[in-house]
Amino acid sequence: MLVVSGTGTEIGKTVTTAALAACAARAGRSVAVLKAAQTGVAPDEPGDAAEAARLAGPAVTAAEVARYPEPLAPATAAQRAGLPGVTPDEIEAAARKLAAAHDLVLVEGAGGLLVRFDAAGSTLADAARLLAAPVLVVAEPGLGTLNATALTGEALRARGLRGAGVV
């Protein structure tokens, strides 16, 4: 299992997830992509997990834990939609279910590592801890990325999480 997070939103987490999935699938591994919380996509539109699977190839399974219509942080999007936020326990359960049938599960976050998923303030870092999974950080290739990347690394270390690297 691998958690894919980032230093922000719209920086390439889905493309990075797709590339990892494609490499693993080409190596003969069965792969699932799990989007912890999809925001800003209508019910009939493909989300990030579906896009990663499309890019990686037909052998990749796509799944989502929760979907919210507005393009906001998951906790805010859930609240505005009158829906419950997604909890780390739900993310863990979905990932473990996929892991029972796949060699590799890639769990893609929403925004950065500490974006809130529910009203209790749970984050992707909390889900990564439950999964005991390393976290790959995707960073934007531009001005300010060194600071954002260093802060994300500090957040990982402060929570006892293993970093898998930076893309």
Side-chain angles (χ1 to χ4, degrees):
M1 207 159 316
L2 180 68
V3 173
V4 180
S5 187
T7 57
T9 192
E10 298 296 322
I11 60 169
K13 288 185 302 293
T14 300
V15 171
T16 299
T17 300
L20 292 168
C23 289
R26 284 193 184 95
R29 296 178 76 186
S30 59
V31 183
V33 173
L34 177 65
K35 181 70 175 184
Q38 178 66 60
T39 65
V41 178
D44 58 340
E45 293 179 316
D48 292 346
E51 178 64 4
R54 183 190 72 77
L55 291 170
V60 175
T61 300
E64 296 175 351
V65 178
R67 179 179 279 230
Y68 308 107
E70 290 189 80
L72 304 166
T76 304
Q79 180 184 27
R80 288 176 53 104
L83 297 168
V86 63
T87 68
D89 289 335
E90 291 171 313
I91 297 167
E92 179 193 27
R96 296 218 186 274
K97 182 177 179 183
L98 288 168
H102 297 84
D103 299 322
L104 176 63
V105 177
L106 301 168
V107 180
E108 183 182 337
L113 182 68
L114 301 182
V115 169
R116 293 178 179 214
F117 278 86
D118 62 15
S122 301
T123 67
L124 186 64
D126 298 316
R129 184 181 311 110
L130 287 176
L131 293 167
V135 179
L136 179 69
V137 177
V138 180
E140 185 174 17
L143 192 61
T145 200
L146 294 177
N147 184 62
T149 304
L151 289 170
T152 301
E154 281 190 20
L156 287 169
R157 286 187 297 280
R159 288 160 179 77
L161 299 171
R162 287 181 295 135
V166 177
V167 175

